[in-house]
Amino acid sequence: MQYYTILPPPDLAPFVKCFWVLEHEVSAEKPYFHKTLADGFPELVFHYKGRFDEIDRAGNAELSFIAGLTGPSSLYRRFRISEDFGIFGVYLYPFAVPALFGMPTIETVNEMPDLHSMLGKKGLELEEKIMLAENNQVRITIMCQFMRGCLTRNAQPEPAAFAMISQIIQSNGLTSVTELAQRNALSTRQFERKFKAFSGFSPKLFSRIIRFHAAMNAYGDKEKSLTEIAYEAGYYDQSHFIHDFKTFSGEHPGRYFSGNSEATEYRDV
């Protein structure tokens, strides 16, 4: 398995956290299972080789898109593939959705629209270019050109919305929502409405998801106990940590940090 990330050029860094690539050789006799967890960040995903089935809670399988947007999510999902695959992704900041596509981020929450449904002819053209690209560096060049065109066409969201969401991200979800509203001279109701439009979630739920990811980032540190991970991520007790972890991942944190989760195999590369 091969997994790596690439930083965006400086002009796109306010909107793109990173590009990423995941490739793996898989046999039909031994399918590969992958779980995606709740995430406050949307991403563009292109399956340039192979195609996954999404498996629902009842065990039913349905083909996932070839190219599309995975919106900010409070859910976890499970996927399966029985052939070699290659995926190219663009990991976006939440406020990149209105900036790039001219739609409120909230419209994409827990959704996975394919590019054609979302962007029409432009989506199909982008999908074709990415699929036919000779390598991932070319894919990055194509995506950068596409996103620059989108930013030129679409009205830019308010800088204040960028700042409010960024502050919660940078604090790993530990910023006081009340203090953040006051700092931006907004009533709590105004703040929550504006925040939800650009992040997709209420400030409280977004903060919980960001804090959950702060805890996940301790994966691989064998020296830390679950209690230490919980406290360092800002959880006030172990039960609170376990509750949120199960809500956003579907499993106990002990399983995740043991390396036996379907959500961690790519991280062990």
Side-chain angles (χ1 to χ4, degrees):
M1 180 178 291
Q2 183 179 35
Y3 171 74
Y4 58 92
T5 61
I6 306 100
L7 292 176
D11 64 315
L12 292 176
F15 305 96
V16 179
K17 187 170 185 181
C18 69
F19 300 101
W20 58 268
V21 175
L22 179 63
E23 298 176 333
H24 192 31
E25 294 180 355
V26 181
S27 67
E29 294 75 29
K30 189 179 180 182
Y32 172 73
F33 290 87
H34 179 69
K35 180 188 279 188
T36 61
L37 310 184
D39 198 341
F41 289 60
E43 54 190 341
L44 290 165
V45 179
F46 300 84
H47 297 268
Y48 58 84
K49 184 179 183 181
R51 192 171 179 183
F52 281 75
D53 289 316
E54 180 174 0
I55 305 170
D56 65 21
R57 305 296 167 83
N60 302 311
E62 182 178 344
L63 274 176
S64 65
F65 58 51
I66 294 174
L69 177 77
T70 299
S73 179
S74 58
L75 309 173
Y76 55 90
R77 290 185 166 96
R78 191 166 179 252
F79 300 87
R80 177 187 63 209
I81 193 167
S82 301
E83 59 183 328
D84 296 352
F85 67 85
I87 312 173
F88 172 70
V90 188
Y91 200 45
L92 302 167
Y93 287 101
F95 39 73
V97 173
L100 293 171
F101 309 121
M103 65 176 70
T105 308
I106 193 172
E107 292 184 5
T108 68
V109 168
N110 293 328
E111 299 291 338
M112 293 180 63
D114 63 77
L115 279 191
H116 181 226
S117 300
M118 192 171 74
L119 302 176
K121 184 180 177 182
K122 286 186 173 64
L124 286 178
E125 290 172 350
L126 176 61
E127 178 182 324
E128 184 176 8
K129 288 179 181 178
I130 293 293
M131 296 302 147
L132 295 177
E134 58 182 295
N135 56 50
N136 286 306
Q137 191 54 56
V138 174
R139 291 185 175 98
I140 291 173
T141 300
I142 292 168
M143 277 307 310
C144 288
Q145 183 180 15
F146 174 80
M147 289 188 288
R148 289 182 180 116
C150 290
L151 292 171
T152 300
R153 287 191 301 271
N154 294 320
Q156 297 301 300
E158 304 166 42
F162 283 38
M164 290 186 293
I165 295 170
S166 294
Q167 285 171 43
I168 288 182
I169 293 170
Q170 290 164 8
S171 71
N172 288 330
L174 300 180
T175 297
S176 163
V177 172
T178 302
E179 288 179 9
L180 198 52
Q182 292 172 346
R183 206 179 304 158
N184 287 277
L186 295 170
S187 68
T188 302
R189 182 173 295 180
Q190 288 174 320
F191 171 72
E192 290 189 353
R193 184 172 63 248
K194 192 180 294 288
F195 190 94
K196 199 168 186 178
F198 288 111
S199 76
F201 297 114
S202 69
K204 183 177 180 181
L205 179 53
F206 185 76
S207 296
R208 285 177 62 203
I209 294 173
I210 295 300
R211 181 170 49 185
F212 161 68
H213 273 262
M216 284 203 310
N217 287 339
Y219 180 79
D221 190 339
K222 305 295 185 182
E223 302 300 317
K224 290 182 180 177
S225 67
L226 290 183
T227 300
E228 290 172 318
I229 290 170
Y231 286 140
E232 287 181 10
Y235 290 93
Y236 55 81
D237 61 36
Q238 187 85 336
S239 62
H240 187 202
F241 172 55
I242 292 171
H243 174 269
D244 267 18
F245 211 96
K246 284 183 174 180
T247 298
F248 296 135
S249 74
E251 57 191 45
H252 190 282
R255 177 174 175 80
Y256 179 87
F257 287 102
S258 73
N260 294 319
S261 168
E262 292 173 349
T264 58
E265 186 172 346
Y266 80 99
R267 302 190 68 161
D268 294 326
V269 176

